[in-house]
Amino acid sequence: MTTMKAVRIHAYGGPELLHYEEIPRPALNPDDILIRVRSAAVNPVDWKIREGYLQGFLKHQLPLILGWDVSGEVVEIGPEATGFKIGDAVYARPNIERDGSYAEYIAVKASETAHKPATLDHDHAAAVPLAALTAWQALVDAAQIQTGQTVLIHAAAGGVGTFAVQLAKSKGARVIATASSVNSGIVAELGADQFIDYTQTRFEDAIKDVDVVFDTVGGETQQRSWQVLKPGGMLVSIVDPPEEKTAADHGARSAFVFIQPNGQQLTAIARLIEEGRMKPMIHCVLPLTEARQAQVISQGGHARGKIVLHVAD
């Protein structure tokens, strides 16, 4: 087989520009592995790229396969790729500047890949990499959260937020979570110590002396978050780069995180999942042919957990 089914865009714009079509299978670089995709996941960055918002930031050539969460099996190995054998069940957040996972096959660097958590099926495993790595690189790498610290996590019922709550708890932090009341049960199940319904309560009126704010919303929410930090506290954003002057004015620190692929971190995350300390939350599972609808749901901004595309059994 030299061809495969995939969903691509040939121009930037709305979801109607996602086309399910037959194209050549990807060629491998020497340090790549070829993954037979079983499941992929949908993230906000997918439709932002589709809309053309990141043209000045990322180097893409059209046509482009979207999707940068994958779970599947290794079917081919490049001559310089190590750590895997044919048939291994793996998951990855591939390089976002290459073709993605809305396809039957994807070429991924071996270093960006890890063995799939043994306790998860492919649909659930595909829901992990991008969101969990984002939480890890924000809270562990950038904020360096410590046992006993208090962490405020915005949009805690979202794809990234659900992992952030669990990761912060696994590190011994006290977690305050914002979400709407309909998601209070989900947030409590994930282990949050305090819940704030952002539709009813202004969080800055309810809390103070927070060590770390994890901003997954940006805009006004980020600006209001400075008020709740203790002196020397830290705001980490994944949506809007915080202004250094604003941080200094509040006696705080700041960081902006744009997730990078990391197979070693995915291995650590898989260990937490296998130990029962972290689990993915899935909003819905759709077939690859319904990628348009999946992105419409994502763009609506109210998914609880991750949206998954089931590619093959």
Side-chain angles (χ1 to χ4, degrees):
M1 252 176 70
T2 59
T3 63
M4 67 177 183
K5 297 293 187 180
V7 175
R8 298 196 296 182
I9 58 170
H10 294 256
Y12 295 114
E16 71 279 1
L17 295 178
L18 290 164
H19 296 287
Y20 182 73
E21 54 197 8
E22 188 162 330
I23 65 171
R25 276 172 50 166
L28 295 188
N29 294 324
D31 56 351
D32 283 344
I33 58 175
L34 185 68
I35 298 173
R36 172 69 167 99
V37 180
R38 297 299 182 183
S39 302
V42 176
N43 295 281
V45 71
D46 300 1
W47 59 260
K48 290 178 181 178
I49 289 173
R50 187 204 74 222
E51 294 274 3
Y53 294 148
L54 301 180
Q55 288 184 69
F57 183 70
L58 298 172
K59 299 174 183 177
H60 286 134
Q61 291 186 344
L62 299 180
L64 175 69
I65 303 172
L66 300 175
W68 291 278
D69 266 325
V70 61
S71 182
E73 290 94 30
V74 178
V75 294
E76 189 177 337
I77 300 173
E80 297 176 10
T82 60
F84 301 97
K85 64 182 185 300
I86 302 297
D88 279 353
V90 295
Y91 74 151
R93 187 280 195 181
N95 182 344
I96 205 166
E97 295 192 341
R98 299 178 67 178
D99 274 329
S101 57
Y102 293 9
E104 292 180 322
Y105 295 88
I106 183 173
V108 182
K109 277 190 175 184
S111 61
E112 298 169 355
T113 310
H115 289 93
K116 177 182 74 65
T119 52
L120 298 183
D121 60 24
H122 286 294
D123 285 346
H124 285 80
V128 174
L130 189 147
L133 280 175
T134 300
W136 185 287
Q137 291 173 17
L139 295 177
V140 178
D141 292 349
Q144 299 182 359
I145 58 171
Q146 304 294 320
T147 299
Q149 287 187 324
T150 298
V151 179
L152 170 62
I153 297 170
H154 288 303
V160 174
T162 53
F163 283 107
V165 171
Q166 297 175 87
L167 180 59
K169 290 301 296 181
S170 77
K171 297 296 183 181
R174 177 176 180 270
V175 173
I176 304 170
T178 70
S180 62
S181 59
V182 70
N183 293 319
S184 61
I186 291 174
V187 172
E189 178 187 344
L190 296 176
D193 299 283
Q194 182 178 346
F195 172 78
I196 298 175
D197 179 355
Y198 72 88
T199 68
Q200 301 294 323
T201 303
R202 292 180 68 84
F203 62 85
E204 67 269 33
D205 295 335
I207 57 175
K208 61 180 182 179
D209 294 333
V210 170
D211 294 285
V212 176
V213 172
F214 185 26
D215 169 36
T216 67
V217 179
E220 179 192 1
T221 297
Q222 181 183 110
Q223 295 308 310
R224 290 161 50 202
S225 294
W226 297 107
Q227 303 173 43
V228 307
L229 282 169
K230 64 171 52 174
M234 187 170 200
L235 186 150
V236 183
S237 181
I238 59 170
V239 283
D240 289 337
E243 294 184 1
E244 292 184 9
K245 182 180 184 305
T246 304
D249 289 345
H250 287 86
R253 297 169 295 134
S254 66
F256 176 72
V257 171
F258 190 85
I259 175 187
Q260 300 299 317
N262 193 306
Q264 290 183 335
Q265 290 177 353
L266 282 177
T267 297
I269 289 165
R271 192 174 305 116
L272 288 174
I273 291 170
E274 290 169 348
E275 292 171 354
R277 301 169 71 187
M278 186 180 289
K279 63 181 179 181
M281 304 291 289
I282 291 183
H283 179 79
C284 64
V285 179
L286 298 171
L288 179 62
T289 52
E290 294 189 29
R292 290 181 182 179
Q293 178 61 20
Q295 288 202 0
V296 168
I297 296 170
S298 175
Q299 201 160 354
H302 295 291
R304 303 181 197 177
K306 295 295 292 290
I307 301 162
V308 174
L309 294 173
H310 186 80
V311 178
D313 293 328

